[in-house]
Amino acid sequence: MADTETANALPETIEEAKEEAKSFLAQAQEAIGDAVDATVAAVKEHPIAAAGIAAGVAAAVGGAAYAATQLGGDKEAAPAKPKK
């Protein structure tokens, strides 16, 4: 009889989990929307500062990508050309 009770409780647990996940998703979407609205307002208020920050971030990401390509893996040196 305990197996029947467990089987009957399982759908309720799954439904509760679905509802909690939907609630969490709704809260996350609202928080992201608020963050986007605040970012847009800040960029409209300070466009030059926003452009400077964007340029700095782009430079940092570009530098990190370049460094990763240079440091990733051992590269064999090109053979030296014989002098004639």
Side-chain angles (χ1 to χ4, degrees):
M1 185 126 185
D3 291 335
T4 306
E5 290 175 10
T6 303
N8 289 338
L10 186 59
E12 289 178 12
T13 305
I14 291 172
E15 289 302 319
E16 289 173 6
K18 284 182 183 180
E19 290 302 318
E20 287 179 18
K22 287 179 183 178
S23 173
F24 177 76
L25 181 61
Q27 289 174 350
Q29 286 175 334
E30 184 177 339
I32 291 170
D34 292 345
V36 168
D37 292 341
T39 303
V40 168
V43 169
K44 286 181 179 179
E45 191 172 328
H46 305 286
I48 294 173
I53 291 169
V57 169
V61 170
Y66 176 75
T69 61
Q70 297 302 310
L71 297 175
D74 294 333
K75 294 181 181 178
E76 292 183 27
K81 293 182 180 178
K83 293 184 179 181
K84 292 184 180 181

